[in-house]
Amino acid sequence: MGGNWERLVWNQREALLAGFGVTLECCAYAFGGAILGGLVLCLARLYVPWLRPLAIVLIEFFRGTPIFVQLVWVNYVWPEVLGWPTSFFAAAWTALALQSSGYLAETFRAGIEGVPRGHREAAMAVGMSRPQIFRRIVTPQMLIASAPALINQFTVIVKSSTLVSVITVPDLMAQALRIVNRTYEPIEILTATAFIYIGFIFAVSTLANMGAARLRRKLGLAD
Amino acid sequence: MISEPLRQALDLGVFWEYRQVLFGGLAFNAGIFVCAACLAFAIGLLAAILRNRRGRVSRGLGALYVETFRNAPDYVMLVWVHLVLPIMIGLLIGKRLEFPPFLSAVIALGLVYSGYLAETIRAGLQAIPRGNLEAGRAVGMSEFLILRRIALPQALRRMMPEILNNLVSLFKATTIVSLIAVPDLMYRVSMVTQQEMQPLPLYTGSALTYFVVVFCVASLARLIGERWRRSVLM
């Protein structure tokens, strides 16, 4: 059994590492896009009255459709109708970003609405303009309040990224499945892949949550 | 004014033509959801209880289980259960086994979502006022009796809204079962697409269908959750 592991997993590590790299890249783009999209949707919903219904519909749509359905939809329908995305990779991170932007929009909204009124009033009393208030008082508090949800959405993105192999993006899962299809010996490679994903997600979420807790303590915010 | 592809995407005639076949696929999503939900709830309950006990070994085991399955991607578990588990069990009992896709889907999703449910139930157990448990012990109840009559009812009642959210997520996750050839809605959409060569309306139609179904279910869950919170917990 030891020999099998070496042959099937260790010897393939280049392909697996390359796949992992693609996974990380895709998740990074998706996370950035999700934060951006979430902010846009959230601000549109809160501060632009005529965009509000559209924002709400979009948020509900991105949260309510399963990620696999969105992936397939963005990959096959969008290029025809909108002319973009032009690559499978772009379709992949776009779909992942859309899905999480719905959740993050709601998270940011809760964060913004959770800033105590007194803070805003104090800032106005000192003479800050509204953009200044938003930039210097609301945003930092909103970000710190959203930190756990942001970390959680990142893990959701990584977990959902396993599906992009279906639209032929060569991520870690795709590489693992390719090895399985070639050698017909699924046990070692699939177990190893599962452990890689589980270990990575566990490590990222634990470290990030510890970092966020530290930051909160440092800034003196109640836990 | 509307571009040709957009018009094609919104012309759901093809989707409506095949509606019986396609909506029949939703029955598979529902079936897998119900079975996986039962499995997830059963195992999640056990794991939460285990994790809440005082012994370090049982806490450690519970934590290991929950962290493993909570952080496992659904698709990886699905493929693993479908391809690896039959071989492993087959080696143990000395026969060649193959899981039907429906079973693999139920087991895989049940395992993954048992992790989420375990965390939710554990949060509920930890939020119980300690006095209630001590009162039970003072009257001489066994740990099992305390669990059954004091701890679990309170925990489940408190976490019911969150449990419903977990279940909605589970329902959304059932869409991936098409990847191991369970004939659910997505699978049938891809089959019909191959036949009719009209991917735009079919994929748009499936996205809309899932959105409507999930939106209704999630809104229902939200309403029940809010009323539950108000009437039961206040």
Side-chain angles (χ1 to χ4, degrees):
Chain A
M1 249 290 248
N4 266 352
W5 278 90
E6 189 181 336
R7 176 173 57 89
L8 290 165
V9 179
W10 184 248
N11 286 349
Q12 313 288 343
R13 65 187 179 284
E14 270 176 38
L16 292 176
L17 275 172
F20 191 61
V22 173
T23 295
L24 282 181
E25 208 185 328
C26 192
C27 293
Y29 278 115
F31 191 52
I35 294 180
L36 218 68
L39 270 175
V40 167
L41 283 170
C42 172
L43 294 176
R45 180 182 178 153
L46 286 177
Y47 297 123
V48 185
W50 56 274
L51 276 181
R52 196 140 174 241
L54 180 65
I56 295 181
V57 167
L58 285 177
I59 291 174
E60 289 301 320
F61 184 72
F62 294 143
R63 283 176 64 176
T65 357
I67 179 60
F68 182 50
V69 175
Q70 282 186 38
L71 204 57
V72 167
W73 180 60
V74 169
N75 189 46
Y76 290 116
V77 179
W78 279 35
E80 299 287 322
V81 177
L82 299 171
W84 183 83
T86 50
S87 73
F88 294 122
F89 184 78
W93 70 254
T94 306
L96 292 173
L98 286 177
Q99 156 105 146
S100 290
S101 68
Y103 285 101
L104 287 180
E106 289 297 278
T107 305
F108 291 153
R109 183 167 78 106
I112 291 178
E113 287 177 352
V115 176
R117 211 134 165 257
H119 293 204
R120 265 184 260 242
E121 290 174 355
M124 275 194 275
V126 189
M128 286 188 180
S129 67
R130 291 196 71 211
Q132 264 183 324
I133 297 179
F134 193 79
R135 192 166 53 87
R136 297 177 70 175
I137 309 285
V138 176
T139 306
Q141 294 195 47
M142 173 198 85
L143 284 175
I144 294 177
S146 312
L150 280 168
I151 296 164
N152 189 44
Q153 277 306 310
F154 183 70
T155 66
V156 168
I157 287 177
V158 175
K159 282 187 269 186
S160 307
S161 74
T162 53
L163 288 169
V164 304
S165 53
V166 175
I167 56 174
T168 72
V169 173
D171 73 328
L172 175 57
M173 192 62 183
Q175 299 283 7
L177 288 176
R178 189 193 294 169
I179 297 173
V180 169
N181 282 328
R182 215 175 53 211
T183 63
Y184 288 98
E185 295 181 71
I187 301 184
E188 291 84 359
I189 182 67
L190 284 178
T191 310
T193 308
F195 274 124
I196 294 176
Y197 273 112
I198 295 175
F200 176 67
I201 294 173
F202 179 70
V204 166
S205 73
T206 308
L207 288 173
N209 275 319
M210 283 198 314
R214 256 233 201 123
L215 194 66
R216 243 175 293 163
R217 249 176 286 142
K218 207 162 142 204
L219 295 173
L221 292 167
D223 236 34
Chain B
M1 207 187 67
I2 304 183
S3 69
E4 173 61 23
L6 182 60
R7 195 195 60 78
Q8 261 184 39
L10 296 176
D11 174 20
L12 298 176
V14 166
F15 194 83
W16 189 249
E17 235 182 274
Y18 283 88
R19 66 182 179 285
Q20 270 184 336
V21 171
L22 295 175
F23 289 151
L26 272 180
F28 273 89
N29 287 105
I32 292 178
F33 166 69
V34 169
C35 299
C38 295
L39 185 67
F41 199 79
I43 303 181
L45 199 62
L46 282 173
I49 294 174
L50 208 67
R51 210 168 166 190
N52 208 39
R53 301 188 61 162
R54 260 165 296 180
R56 227 178 316 167
V57 174
S58 52
R59 274 187 119 116
L61 278 174
L64 185 69
Y65 177 86
V66 170
E67 289 304 319
T68 303
F69 287 106
R70 205 161 63 105
N71 294 320
D74 305 353
Y75 185 37
V76 176
M77 285 297 347
L78 189 66
V79 174
W80 191 85
V81 167
H82 192 54
L83 295 182
V84 175
L85 203 55
I87 301 182
M88 283 183 148
I89 299 185
L91 284 174
L92 274 176
I93 65 173
K95 272 177 25 163
R96 230 192 83 128
L97 270 190
E98 217 179 84
F99 284 175
F102 191 93
L103 181 66
S104 304
V106 170
I107 294 178
L109 290 176
L111 287 174
V112 172
Y113 281 82
S114 70
Y116 297 118
L117 279 175
E119 276 300 276
T120 305
I121 297 175
R122 183 173 84 106
L125 284 172
Q126 293 199 323
I128 297 173
R130 196 156 287 183
N132 297 12
L133 304 170
E134 288 175 359
R137 260 171 245 142
V139 190
M141 285 180 160
S142 68
E143 286 298 322
F144 175 70
L145 213 58
I146 293 179
L147 205 63
R148 191 165 72 88
R149 297 181 71 177
I150 301 179
L152 279 181
Q154 286 191 44
L156 291 176
R157 242 175 286 166
R158 186 179 298 257
M159 299 315 285
M160 184 53 72
E162 186 59 26
I163 291 177
L164 286 179
N165 285 339
N166 287 347
L167 291 179
V168 171
S169 299
L170 173 56
F171 181 74
K172 294 200 311 191
T174 60
T175 49
I176 65 175
V177 302
S178 60
L179 297 171
I180 55 170
V182 175
D184 76 328
L185 175 55
M186 285 307 280
Y187 184 82
R188 295 181 186 204
V189 163
S190 67
M191 291 287 120
V192 174
T193 306
Q194 281 177 25
Q195 201 173 332
E196 291 286 325
M197 299 305 280
Q198 286 195 47
L200 280 82
L202 286 164
Y203 285 130
T204 309
S206 68
L208 285 172
T209 305
Y210 272 117
F211 169 54
V212 168
V213 172
V214 172
F215 182 71
C216 294
V217 171
S219 302
L220 200 69
R222 219 179 314 183
L223 272 169
I224 297 179
E226 276 170 20
R227 290 177 107 221
W228 186 273
R229 253 187 267 260
R230 248 179 285 141
S231 74
V232 172
L233 298 177
M234 282 303 135

